[in-house]
């Protein structure tokens, strides 16, 4: 019996040793597998992180020098905008340099007698220069205005005196009378004498007074008040206002335009 029990004990202990040996042999194989799976998962995470993050390029000193040299030769075509909200903003022009916005500095008043005399002399020179600045055309126009005004004033004086000869002498031989805008009343001195000669004889008084006068070149425009006496030379029984335009050439009225 003892020998049988001893044999069974040996068998059981042997089987236990075999099981432990088998377990010990399996454990080293499982550990590396777990490490391999861990490495794979870490690689996947790193790959995903690389995909989500911007690419990073590591330059060697030699490559970095080449890149810097290339960048130095390239001129930027557009300014770099750090703030996108201000990318389309227009620079405000400094208005302090615009003509007319500068503050005018007061001129120092002359202190000494000599400075005052110099200032007066400069002012006189400025006036003379202003006179010389008038063009020949302006001077000619001013001369025409003076001559035309003198002719019309003589004409009005002869009209008020009912002097037909002096009145007619102020007109050219082919003078034209119009009613605005272009209705021809008559033309020539003969018809002028016939019309105004009869009027001067018939009326006891005639008087024309300019209310307002405009002179430009050889044109004289009068806003006139006309008064007439039909029976008594001392009693004005008719008054009217009208506008007349006189064109003067070579000292004579060549065209009359009535505005009614």
């Amino acid at each position: 019996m003892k020998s049988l029990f001893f044999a069974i004990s040996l068998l059981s202990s042997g089987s236990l040793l075999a099981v432990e040996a088998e377990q010990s042999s399996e454990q080293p194989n499982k550990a590396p597998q777990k490490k391999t799976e861990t490495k794979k998962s870490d690689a996947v995470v790193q790959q995903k992180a690389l995909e989500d993050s911007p690419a990073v390029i590591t330059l060697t000193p030699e490559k970095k020098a080449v890149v810097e040299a290339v960048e130095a030769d390239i001129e930027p075509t557009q300014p770099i905008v750090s703030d996108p909200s201000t990318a389309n903003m227009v620079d405000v022009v400094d208005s302090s340099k615009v003509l007319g916005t500068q503050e005018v500095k007061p001129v120092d008043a002359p202190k000494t007698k000599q400075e005052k005399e110099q200032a007066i002399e400069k002012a006189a020179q400025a006036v003379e220069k202003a006179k010389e600045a008038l063009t020949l055309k302006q001077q000619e126009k001013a001369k025409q205005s003076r001559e035309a005004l003198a002719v019309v004033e003589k004409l009005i004086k002869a009209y008020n005196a009912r002097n037909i000869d002096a009145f007619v002498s102020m007109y050219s031989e082919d003078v034209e009378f119009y009613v605005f805008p272009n209705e021809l009343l008559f033309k020539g001195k003969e018809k002028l004498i016939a019309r105004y000669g009869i009027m001067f004889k018939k009326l006891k008084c005639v008087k024309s007074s300019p209310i307002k006068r405009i002179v430009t070149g050889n044109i004289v425009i009068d806003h006139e008040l006309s008064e007439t006496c039909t029976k008594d030379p001392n009693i004005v029984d008719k008054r009217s206002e009208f506008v007349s335009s006189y064109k003067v050439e070579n000292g004579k009225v060549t065209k009359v335009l009535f505005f009614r």
Side-chain angles (χ1 to χ4, degrees):
M1 285 294 290
K2 290 183 179 180
S3 58
L4 181 59
F5 180 76
F6 181 75
I8 292 171
S9 298
L10 289 174
L11 290 172
S12 60
S13 60
S15 61
L16 290 173
L17 292 172
V19 171
E20 291 177 357
E22 184 178 356
Q23 291 178 353
S24 62
S25 62
E26 291 177 355
Q27 287 178 356
N29 294 331
K30 291 180 180 179
Q33 184 177 359
K34 187 175 181 180
K35 291 180 179 179
T36 304
E37 292 176 356
T38 302
K39 290 180 179 179
K40 289 182 179 180
S41 62
D42 293 341
V44 171
V45 173
Q46 292 176 0
Q47 180 67 26
K48 188 175 181 181
L50 289 174
E51 293 176 355
D52 295 339
S53 62
V56 179
I57 302 174
T58 303
L59 298 178
T60 62
E62 294 80 4
K63 293 182 178 179
K64 186 176 181 181
V66 173
V67 172
E68 290 177 352
V70 172
E71 290 178 349
D73 294 336
I74 299 176
E75 295 181 358
T77 57
Q78 295 181 353
I80 298 175
V81 180
S82 58
D83 188 1
S85 63
T86 61
N88 296 323
M89 291 181 65
V90 180
D91 294 338
V92 179
V93 179
D94 184 7
S95 62
S96 63
K97 297 181 181 179
V98 178
L99 182 62
T101 59
Q102 296 90 341
E103 294 183 359
V104 179
K105 295 182 180 180
V107 179
D108 295 335
K111 298 178 181 179
T112 64
K113 183 178 180 180
Q114 184 178 2
E115 289 179 352
K116 290 181 180 180
E117 292 177 353
Q118 291 177 353
I120 294 173
E121 185 179 355
K122 287 182 179 179
Q125 291 176 357
V127 172
E128 291 298 325
K129 287 182 180 179
K131 291 180 179 179
E132 293 175 358
L134 291 174
T135 62
L136 294 176
K137 185 177 180 180
Q138 290 173 323
Q139 293 176 0
E140 180 63 25
K141 188 174 182 180
K143 182 180 178 181
Q144 287 179 349
S145 297
R146 292 191 297 268
E147 292 177 352
L149 181 59
V151 170
V152 172
E153 286 181 344
K154 289 179 181 180
L155 183 150
I156 297 297
K157 185 177 179 179
Y159 176 86
N160 292 338
R162 291 184 297 160
N163 186 339
I164 188 65
D165 294 331
F167 179 73
V168 171
S169 67
M170 296 291 101
Y171 293 91
S172 64
E173 291 294 331
D174 55 352
V175 62
E176 297 177 342
F177 281 75
Y178 288 87
V179 175
F180 182 84
N182 54 5
E183 179 185 350
L184 180 63
L185 287 177
F186 61 89
K187 180 179 179 180
K189 271 191 176 182
E190 291 183 2
K191 292 185 178 181
L192 174 64
I193 294 171
R195 178 181 292 258
Y196 282 89
I198 295 174
M199 185 180 71
F200 287 165
K201 289 180 180 180
K202 182 178 179 181
L203 296 176
K204 302 301 180 180
C205 76
V206 292
K207 184 178 182 182
S208 177
S209 304
I211 300 172
K212 186 176 181 180
R213 175 171 285 168
I214 300 174
V215 183
T216 172
N218 64 337
I219 303 295
V220 179
I221 302 173
D222 272 355
H223 177 197
E224 301 177 24
L225 172 64
S226 177
E227 299 175 324
T228 58
C229 308
T230 57
K231 296 180 180 181
D232 190 338
N234 297 319
I235 299 175
V236 175
D237 52 18
K238 186 177 180 181
R239 289 184 177 90
S240 60
E241 293 183 16
F242 57 94
V243 177
S244 302
S245 171
Y246 304 92
K247 183 178 181 181
V248 180
E249 294 176 315
N250 299 320
K252 302 291 182 180
V253 176
T254 58
K255 182 178 179 181
V256 179
L257 179 63
F258 295 116
F259 296 82
R260 293 178 179 175

